Amino acid sequence: MNVIKENILNAITIIIIMVFFAFPKLTGMPRSIEGFKQIEIALGIPATFFRIFTGISEVALAVLLIFAFVYEKQTLEKIAFAFLLITMLSAILLELLARPEPKLILVAIAVFLAIGATYKLNKPITTKHGIQ
């Protein structure tokens, strides 16, 4: 029962964080627009496209986690956490390399989520009959 509670808590936390960060991107909040302009300058990727792509990716990750936990699909859960890990590693790199002044709180959140994703990816898949 504790494992189920842990999984639900983890999923809800990650879903809330992903939606929290997707919302300003998808609604075009000024701070988000400014941050992605910095990325455009550094990498040449169109800011609006990349901002919307990132926001949609974050919402897709949240939806993927919801499906994984609601339908108890551990393989889907592994895919979701791999997606989360890739997303967070990309966020860390962009924050450190593309921004003139990295936002350390964003780096810390991304590191925290990357560590959590790595932990979840290293847990063995279990079945009704034990560890697979």
Side-chain angles (χ1 to χ4, degrees):
M1 187 70 164
N2 287 337
V3 172
I4 293 170
K5 286 180 185 178
E6 176 189 334
N7 284 341
I8 291 170
L9 183 60
N10 289 338
I12 290 171
T13 302
I14 292 167
I15 290 164
I16 289 170
I17 291 170
M18 290 294 100
V19 171
F20 177 80
F21 282 106
F23 182 78
K25 293 173 183 85
L26 295 174
T27 58
M29 294 180 87
R31 225 162 92 193
S32 182
I33 290 172
E34 181 58 36
F36 279 88
K37 281 183 183 175
Q38 293 173 351
I39 293 170
E40 180 178 39
I41 291 166
L43 301 178
I45 299 170
T48 301
F49 165 79
F50 194 53
R51 177 177 51 82
I52 292 170
F53 172 80
T54 303
I56 290 170
S57 295
E58 290 167 345
V59 170
L61 175 57
V63 170
L64 190 60
L65 276 171
I66 290 168
F67 277 108
F69 287 111
V70 167
Y71 295 106
E72 298 179 11
K73 301 290 184 185
Q74 291 184 12
T75 303
L76 193 57
E77 182 183 334
K78 292 284 187 184
I79 292 168
F81 282 109
F83 186 15
L84 177 62
L85 179 60
I86 292 165
T87 302
M88 291 305 105
L89 292 176
S90 299
I92 292 165
L93 285 173
L94 284 172
E95 197 62 39
L96 295 176
L97 302 177
R99 283 196 196 241
E101 292 182 35
K103 308 277 188 227
L104 295 182
I105 187 68
L106 297 178
V107 173
I109 292 167
V111 167
F112 173 75
L113 290 172
I115 290 168
T118 302
Y119 170 76
K120 291 298 243 176
L121 287 169
N122 284 311
K123 286 183 81 173
I125 293 177
T126 57
T127 65
K128 292 179 183 176
H129 305 291
I131 295 176
Q132 195 174 32

